[in-house]
Amino acid sequence: MKFKLQRFFKKQGKHLPLRVHIQIRNGQFEIMGMGAWYSYWGDPYHLLLTIPWTGFFLLICSLYVAINTLFAFAYWLGGDCIANAKAGSFLDAFFFSVQTLASIGYGAMYPKTIYANVIVTIEAMIGVMGVALMTGLAFARFSRSTARVIFSRVAVVTQHQGMPTLMFRTANQRRNMILEAQMGVYLMRDDITVEGELMRKIYDLKLIRNQTPSFSLSWTVMHIIDESSPLYGMTSESLKLTQALLIISVSGIDDTVAQIVHARHSYSANEILWNYQFVDIMHHTPDGHRYFDYTHFHDVLPLNEVV
């Protein structure tokens, strides 16, 4: 299923069209080009925060070389304006620009005309501002709080306390704690209104426990499918027919950096298995201690095979 949405924004008396191409695949919205970092050139700050580190360093290096080349050309146009530099040497002018931009000041080459001093003044200001901007951007990238939370590859609908229950697993991959962790689970599906209109609706799923004081190991999230549940009366086929999608959102305070971290995941209708159960990952040692074996974190078994 594909959609084309077109909105018009009014700016300075002109209508600027913005067309968004959306495709629904296995219940998930795919906005064409949304994840491509190179599509953010109109927002340079966001671009520099979101591109991969390789792209960030390549972009900074390219900009550094371009600025020095531009100023080297300016010095070269001034003729013999740099002391101890070869007359007409673009290479000497380039390396003099490098020294000026970085405020190195070896002293071997220095400006000897008013023209060269004016260019040096402009370049020195740009160098100071550039160092501040690059330092801020690098710090902003390093200081971005991230959560390393893993989710089970599938969710299951199984029996729990005599009731059909939706379950999935999640675990903290770091050896620390996520304090006051909050879990939100939402069902997105196509519904037909009384007027016969097709709408994409979002329903909140009530969990047996939607928060934990400390999320350090594993967390099995459960939603009971009773009469009040949006999943009541639905089957695997009806979930696929309505392009159903489970959206998972978890947030909390990282105990190491004392910052809020987020993680999200989604399950399409094909990734929700009915009448299956997760393989137990908690075991006991002969001396009575308990331990978690994450080898079978993603594994499930049909209910008729569970002993």
Side-chain angles (χ1 to χ4, degrees), residues 203-271:
Y203 299 89
D204 296 337
L205 297 188
K206 184 180 179 181
L207 305 179
I208 294 180
R209 174 168 292 278
N210 66 345
Q211 61 182 6
T212 179
S214 61
F215 178 25
S216 58
L217 296 174
S218 177
W219 185 358
T220 301
V221 182
M222 294 181 283
H223 164 73
I224 296 177
I225 305 176
D226 54 16
E227 290 83 356
S228 62
S229 170
L231 290 172
Y232 184 74
M234 297 200 72
T235 63
S236 177
E237 289 72 22
S238 61
L239 287 178
K240 296 175 183 177
L241 186 63
T242 58
Q243 299 280 349
L245 179 70
L246 279 182
I247 303 174
I248 319 298
S249 174
V250 58
S251 63
I253 302 174
D254 191 298
D255 186 44
T256 304
V257 296
Q259 291 184 346
I260 296 177
V261 292
H262 305 268
R264 58 188 177 89
H265 192 71
S266 62
Y267 294 102
S268 66
N270 294 327
E271 295 169 327

Side-chain angles (χ1 to χ4, degrees), residues 42-199:
D43 189 356
Y45 178 72
H46 190 264
L47 168 68
L48 291 170
L49 287 182
T50 55
I51 62 175
W53 276 105
T54 304
F56 178 77
F57 284 123
L58 287 176
L59 192 59
I60 296 303
C61 290
S62 300
L63 185 62
Y64 182 78
V65 172
I67 291 175
N68 281 294
T69 301
L70 178 64
F71 278 101
F73 184 71
Y75 293 125
W76 181 76
L77 287 178
D80 189 17
C81 64
I82 303 173
N84 299 325
K86 296 178 182 178
S89 174
F90 186 83
L91 194 62
D92 281 359
F94 179 85
F95 288 119
F96 176 72
S97 174
V98 171
Q99 296 175 27
T100 303
L101 190 67
S103 301
I104 297 174
Y106 287 122
M109 292 187 292
Y110 56 89
K112 64 179 183 180
T113 65
I114 296 297
Y115 173 84
N117 277 293
V118 171
I119 302 299
V120 165
T121 302
I122 297 173
E123 186 173 11
M125 292 179 61
I126 293 177
V128 171
M129 295 174 60
V131 169
L133 287 173
M134 292 306 103
T135 302
L137 285 170
F139 177 78
R141 290 178 62 93
F142 273 114
S143 61
R144 288 172 61 194
S145 57
T146 58
R148 294 192 61 187
V149 176
I150 186 174
F151 295 85
S152 56
R153 295 192 186 99
V154 296
V156 299
V157 176
T158 185
Q159 290 292 320
H160 176 72
Q161 299 290 341
M163 293 291 294
T165 305
L166 171 73
M167 293 185 184
F168 63 89
R169 279 176 177 165
T170 180
N172 184 7
Q173 289 185 288
R174 289 196 175 112
R175 294 186 177 181
N176 68 346
M177 292 187 181
I178 299 178
L179 305 178
E180 302 300 330
Q182 304 281 336
M183 182 72 66
V185 181
Y186 311 92
L187 173 67
M188 180 186 293
R189 71 184 180 196
D190 295 338
D191 277 350
I192 304 296
T193 65
V194 177
E195 295 76 17
E197 296 180 355
L198 175 65
M199 294 190 66

